Amino acid sequence: MIPTVDYIQSCFDEYNVLFFNGTLPPIPIKLSNARTFLGKVTFVKRRKWLFGEWVYSNFKLRINTRFDLPEELIQDTILHEMIHYYIAVNHLRDTSTHGQLFRREMKRINEQGNRHITISYRLTALSQLMESSQNPALPKAGVE
Ligand SMILES: [Zn+2]
């Protein structure tokens, strides 16, 4: 399926209650035609003062609509991005982009919700799913 903003929004609202106790603030949802990622949370990070604490703003949840993907993969991608959002919005520190904290949350949601969130999707699997596009070059698709 190719998700719509309404679909992504309803997933976000449902998972927010199920896995984050409804604590995630609303986030604008944007559809993306990018070749390089399935989902991404973007935000602006700046310091209030020269040596002040970091302030995050302008969060956006971007979900890819270039690829026709199985519904479960889209849902897991939304969940993956929600973990990034949870970590960023709460100013939690992780050891790396998909560090110990990310993996702990991923494991918790996978077990609790019988989900299959991962930190990377294989290009070979995606190449079979992607549009039979004009461009024969395989996209480097993954999650960020
Ligand atoms: Zn990620």
Side-chain angles (χ1 to χ4, degrees), residues 39-41 80-81 83-84 97-98 102 118-120 142-144:
K40 189 185 264 190
V41 168
H80 177 116
E81 299 311 321
I83 298 172
H84 282 305
T97 307
H98 301 113
F102 187 95
T118 66
I119 54 172
S120 67
V143 283
E144 292 182 23

Side-chain angles (χ1 to χ4, degrees), residues 55-121:
V55 178
Y56 298 169
S57 63
N58 206 19
F59 282 99
K60 289 189 176 65
L61 171 59
R62 299 180 191 277
I63 297 294
N64 198 298
T65 50
R66 173 182 287 271
F67 307 106
D68 190 357
L69 300 171
E71 185 170 11
E72 200 191 334
L73 180 53
I74 293 165
Q75 294 172 343
D76 287 340
T77 299
I78 295 168
L79 277 165
H80 177 116
E81 299 311 321
M82 288 176 74
I83 298 172
H84 282 305
Y85 183 45
Y86 166 78
I87 290 171
V89 89
N90 289 297
H91 290 215
L92 304 176
R93 267 179 199 278
D94 204 353
T95 49
S96 63
T97 307
H98 301 113
Q100 288 172 9
L101 178 56
F102 187 95
R103 285 159 200 257
R104 196 182 71 204
E105 289 301 304
M106 185 171 80
K107 187 163 179 283
R108 175 180 69 82
I109 294 171
N110 279 341
E111 288 175 1
Q112 199 180 322
N114 194 25
R115 308 295 323 184
H116 303 91
I117 313 164
T118 66
I119 54 172
S120 67
Y121 293 107

